[in-house]
C-alpha cells in the first residue's frame, strides 16, 4: 500500500482560515452495530459520527487562535495525490494541553467532531 502524505490542512470558520497544523488524525467511525437476536446476530445501520484530531502549532509571535469559538466550521484535508477530504459542520469538543518540546515548537491537540464527511 502506498503511503499518503498531506499537503495542507485548513480550518475555515466565519471567513477566517487557520493552517498552522502539524499533524492530523481522522478518527474511526461505526457504520453498522451488531444486535443480539433470539438465535443469531443481526446488524443495524448507525449514524456515522465523524471526528478529527489536529495538532495546532502555537505561534511564537502572535495570539493563539480561539478554538472555543468554532461552531459550524469546515476542515479540508488536501492530500498530495490530489484527493481531498472535507469535514463540514465542525465543532470543537476538546482543547488539549500545550506540549513543549523545548527546541522547536509548542503544539496543542484540538479534538473536533463533524456532521458530514465528503471525499
Amino acid at each position: 500500500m502506498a503511503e499518503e502524505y498531506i499537503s495542507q490542512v485548513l480550518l475555515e470558520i466565519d471567513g477566517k482560515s487557520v493552517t498552522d497544523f502539524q499533524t492530523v488524525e481522522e478518527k474511526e467511525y461505526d457504520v453498522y452495530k451488531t444486535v443480539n437476536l433470539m438465535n443469531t446476530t443481526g446488524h443495524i445501520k448507525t449514524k456515522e459520527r465523524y471526528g478529527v484530531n489536529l495538532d495546532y502549532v502555537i505561534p511564537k509571535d502572535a495570539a493563539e487562535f480561539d478554538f472555543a469559538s468554532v461552531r459550524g466550521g469546515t476542515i479540508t484535508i488536501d492530500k498530495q495525490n490530489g484527493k481531498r477530504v472535507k469535514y463540514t459542520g465542525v465543532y470543537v469538543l476538546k482543547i488539549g494541553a500545550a506540549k513543549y518540546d523545548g527546541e522547536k515548537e509548542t503544539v496543542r491537540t484540538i479534538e473536533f467532531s463533524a456532521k458530514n464527511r465528503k471525499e
Side-chain angles (χ1 to χ4, degrees), residues 18-36:
V18 181
T19 59
D20 303 328
F21 299 108
Q22 185 181 64
T23 61
V24 60
E25 174 192 11
E26 295 183 85
K27 293 179 166 185
E28 63 183 31
Y29 56 91
D30 293 331
V31 179
Y32 285 91
K33 282 184 135 178
T34 57
V35 178
N36 292 329

Side-chain angles (χ1 to χ4, degrees), residues 8 10 18-19 22 27 30-31 36-37 45 48 53 59-60 66 75-77 80-81 96 107 110 118-119:
Q8 180 179 351
L10 171 68
V18 181
T19 59
Q22 185 181 64
K27 293 179 166 185
D30 293 331
V31 179
N36 292 329
L37 301 174
K45 178 92 168 126
E48 293 90 354
N53 287 344
K60 293 179 182 179
D66 178 20
I75 294 176
T76 304
I77 302 170
Q80 285 186 336
N81 62 5
V107 297
I110 312 297
K118 185 176 180 181
E119 225 173 299

Side-chain angles (χ1 to χ4, degrees), residues 74-88:
T74 301
I75 294 176
T76 304
I77 302 170
D78 288 320
K79 299 180 180 181
Q80 285 186 336
N81 62 5
K83 293 186 179 178
R84 171 179 278 178
V85 179
K86 187 172 271 201
Y87 290 90
T88 57

